[in-house]
Amino acid sequence: MANYNGQSFWVLFLFFNICSVTCFYRSKNSGNTYQENNPDVLLNSFQLIQKYNYYGEEHFVVTKNGYQLKIFRIPKKGPPVLLVHGIGDSSDSWLVLGPQHSLAYLLADTGFDVWLFNARGNRYSKTHIKTLSRRLYWDFSYEEIGSEDMPATIDYILSKTRHSKLTYIGFSQGTTVFFVMCSMLPEYNSLINYAILLAPVAWTKNIKYPFIDFFSRNLNDLISFDKKEKIYEVFPFNKNLNIYHSSVCKVNSPFKLLCQLELYLNFGLKTFTNLLPDRLPVITSHIPAGSSSKTFFHFIQGYGTKRFQRYDYGKEKNREVYASSLPPEYNVSLITIPMTLFVSEVDWFSDTNDVEILRNRLKTVDKYVVINESLQFTHLEFVYGSRVNTIINKPVINILKTLTNI
Ligand SMILES: *[C@@H]1O[C@H](CO)[C@@H](O)[C@H](O)[C@H]1NC(C)=O
Ligand SMILES: *[C@@H]1O[C@H](CO)[C@@H](O)[C@H](O)[C@H]1NC(C)=O
């Protein structure tokens, strides 16, 4: 291992991540294939809402430190529900399957007032009230999303809707930031009446992603390289690259093997059609949507330290920042919100053993839904799966209906 420098880590990291295997293929002739694609490939969240005859709104939230977030809404008379996307993703994730399968539309059909979050750094939330250097702007991990973006968004929604509480639905990192907020700022517990946590991620020591061990062992080199090369933003939304991504990720694409390989290596997806086949180009044209490198580093740290804790800067700087050489853990026992956890036995990122650690500390788990391994339900399928209606959406809507008598 001694010969690997930061550069090779970074190249590998990029190569094997979100769209890199697929995007590696760039056909000069693929220009014509754009037309064959579903027109939804090119639409942003707002346009996807409008296109299917829902009324959409854009709202701007400013965090206490000046980050500007663009969030979307499908306003209805019912109680507010906030949907929170995963890492490197955006509000698009709740819309790209279209009105028959995506949770945002289905909740709106049921009468809920639907709000779609966008974390700082993704395609919709990339501005700041001040002119910050890139280094300063991108100096955040999931902690700041949970402790700054999320409270600002919740305050905003409650003040707009004049409701005293909202319902929270998060997927993957969208659950991590929930745990961070509710443990660091326990006063926010009283503003959420219920949480649905899809593929919850807190402890990450059992992550099954094939390269996690490699990244974990070489993390310090990777972080130094990243600093030296000033790579602060990772997997930004890039329209052209994402169109290539979607032209390869079609069931009838001659190059679909690349897409299958990407989805297998990154998420363990063996059956291509388990992602909704006619929407696959729409899904893949919307990811990645952008994140900070520090967010990835923070998750990788959790694999090595086996703790769900604040960002580790090394002993010396930790003493400065936290007044202790070890970063403090997030105390999830402080959470008082009733919640349902949905986990799948074959999920690489929300491993059932890790969720067990989490569940032992949580005091208010209302329901715990385990998706049997025989279903081979992988991480992305919680939002993009062809079976999402029966396994996730219908049960979720039923829980929320009983809760609110809507
Ligand atoms: C975490 O919170 C629980 C519940 O309030 C408390 O009993 C416990 O001491 C806290 N743990 C730490 C490490 O602060
Ligand atoms: C899960 O699936 C296996 C087959 O893979 C089956 O033997 C088992 O009974 C199932 N468990 C539950 C709880 O349904």
Side-chain angles (χ1 to χ4, degrees):
M1 280 303 134
N3 280 341
Y4 283 102
N5 60 21
Q7 183 154 11
S8 21
F9 301 143
W10 194 250
V11 168
L12 267 171
F13 189 32
L14 284 173
F15 190 81
F16 286 112
N17 253 287
I18 316 234
C19 89
S20 33
V21 173
T22 302
C23 294
F24 195 67
Y25 158 74
R26 296 186 185 206
S27 164
K28 299 243 180 329
N29 305 321
S30 59
N32 300 337
T33 63
Y34 300 172
Q35 270 70 42
E36 303 164 25
N37 279 338
N38 189 315
D40 290 7
V41 158
L42 298 171
L43 305 183
N44 64 27
S45 281
F46 187 70
Q47 295 164 326
L48 285 168
I49 293 170
Q50 301 279 20
K51 167 161 178 186
Y52 293 102
N53 302 317
Y54 290 76
Y55 176 76
E57 289 176 3
E58 285 183 346
H59 292 262
F60 293 89
V61 174
V62 182
T63 72
K64 71 179 198 304
N65 291 331
Y67 283 81
Q68 293 169 308
L69 316 174
K70 187 195 277 184
I71 64 174
F72 297 97
R73 179 188 191 189
I74 308 176
K76 295 279 172 183
K77 290 217 173 353
V81 178
L82 175 61
L83 303 187
V84 183
H85 62 79
I87 192 168
D89 212 335
S90 75
S91 51
D92 301 344
S93 58
W94 307 105
L95 298 161
V96 288
L97 299 191
Q100 309 299 324
H101 294 90
S102 268
L103 194 54
Y105 301 106
L106 299 172
L107 286 169
D109 293 344
T110 316
F112 289 101
D113 184 14
V114 179
W115 293 80
L116 307 175
F117 176 77
N118 280 303
R120 61 179 67 183
N122 86 11
R123 62 181 293 198
Y124 299 110
S125 299
K126 287 183 85 163
T127 56
H128 193 278
I129 54 167
K130 294 203 199 103
T131 327
L132 285 190
S133 68
R134 287 180 55 250
R135 184 180 62 81
L136 283 178
Y137 177 88
W138 291 101
D139 186 16
F140 65 83
S141 77
Y142 61 71
E143 172 162 316
E144 288 75 15
I145 298 172
S147 64
E148 294 170 18
D149 296 359
M150 197 51 70
T153 303
I154 291 174
D155 290 344
Y156 181 94
I157 294 171
L158 295 181
S159 105
K160 277 278 167 203
T161 59
R162 297 167 189 276
H163 274 254
S164 58
K165 288 173 191 254
L166 55 73
T167 303
Y168 188 101
I169 301 181
F171 164 60
S172 193
Q173 179 190 273
T175 71
T176 319
V177 300
F178 169 84
F179 300 130
V180 169
M181 173 178 69
C182 297
S183 55
M184 290 184 78
L185 302 165
E187 62 273 25
Y188 277 82
N189 280 284
S190 64
L191 304 182
I192 298 175
N193 67 342
Y194 200 91
I196 305 273
L197 305 171
L198 308 173
V201 177
W203 277 263
T204 52
K205 67 178 192 176
N206 290 298
I207 279 188
K208 297 290 185 293
Y209 172 67
F211 306 99
I212 185 72
D213 197 53
F214 181 78
F215 289 129
S216 171
R217 279 185 287 117
N218 299 287
L219 186 58
N220 288 338
D221 287 349
L222 183 56
I223 294 173
S224 315
F225 175 76
D226 188 72
K227 248 192 209 123
K228 200 174 96 216
E229 299 295 321
K230 303 185 165 58
I231 305 166
Y232 307 122
E233 176 185 16
V234 288
F235 310 122
F237 180 79
N238 176 319
K239 196 167 176 182
N240 288 328
L241 215 55
N242 288 18
I243 290 172
Y244 285 123
H245 195 199
S246 79
S247 70
V248 176
C249 287
K250 278 199 290 202
V251 180
N252 58 2
S253 162
F255 302 101
K256 70 172 184 204
L257 188 64
L258 286 170
C259 183
Q260 286 170 313
L261 185 65
E262 171 201 333
L263 295 169
Y264 177 65
L265 284 178
N266 282 325
F267 302 102
L269 182 87
K270 292 181 195 146
T271 311
F272 202 38
T273 48
N274 280 355
L275 295 190
L276 197 64
D278 11 315
R279 305 299 296 184
L280 191 59
V282 186
I283 299 166
T284 50
S285 64
H286 288 82
I287 44 179
S291 183
S292 71
S293 52
K294 192 175 177 181
T295 306
F296 282 91
F297 297 153
H298 198 172
F299 278 117
I300 298 169
Q301 286 180 354
Y303 175 83
T305 62
K306 306 185 185 335
R307 285 156 55 97
F308 182 41
Q309 64 180 16
R310 301 185 65 184
Y311 192 83
D312 191 348
Y313 293 98
K315 282 192 182 131
E316 212 165 298
K317 192 170 172 199
N318 286 344
R319 273 191 218 104
E320 242 172 74
V321 181
Y322 307 122
S324 106
S325 55
L326 210 56
E329 291 187 271
Y330 299 111
N331 189 353
V332 297
S333 320
L334 295 171
I335 303 175
T336 57
I337 299 160
M339 49 196 137
T340 293
L341 311 183
F342 283 83
V343 302
S344 168
E345 290 181 340
V346 301
D347 191 332
W348 281 359
F349 298 93
S350 172
D351 185 273
T352 48
N353 293 308
D354 286 335
V355 176
E356 210 46 43
I357 302 171
L358 169 70
R359 204 157 70 94
N360 283 332
R361 286 170 168 74
L362 292 173
K363 302 228 164 84
T364 49
V365 176
D366 173 37
K367 293 188 181 68
Y368 182 54
V369 181
V370 181
I371 302 160
N372 195 311
E373 69 169 316
S374 60
L375 293 172
Q376 290 291 306
F377 195 76
T378 56
H379 196 63
L380 289 184
E381 293 174 60
F382 285 86
V383 280
Y384 300 128
S386 48
R387 299 168 290 177
V388 70
N389 273 350
T390 49
I391 298 179
I392 305 294
N393 294 344
K394 286 205 178 108
V396 165
I397 289 172
N398 284 338
I399 293 168
L400 299 195
K401 270 181 169 168
T402 27
L403 199 71
T404 54
N405 295 317
I406 199 167

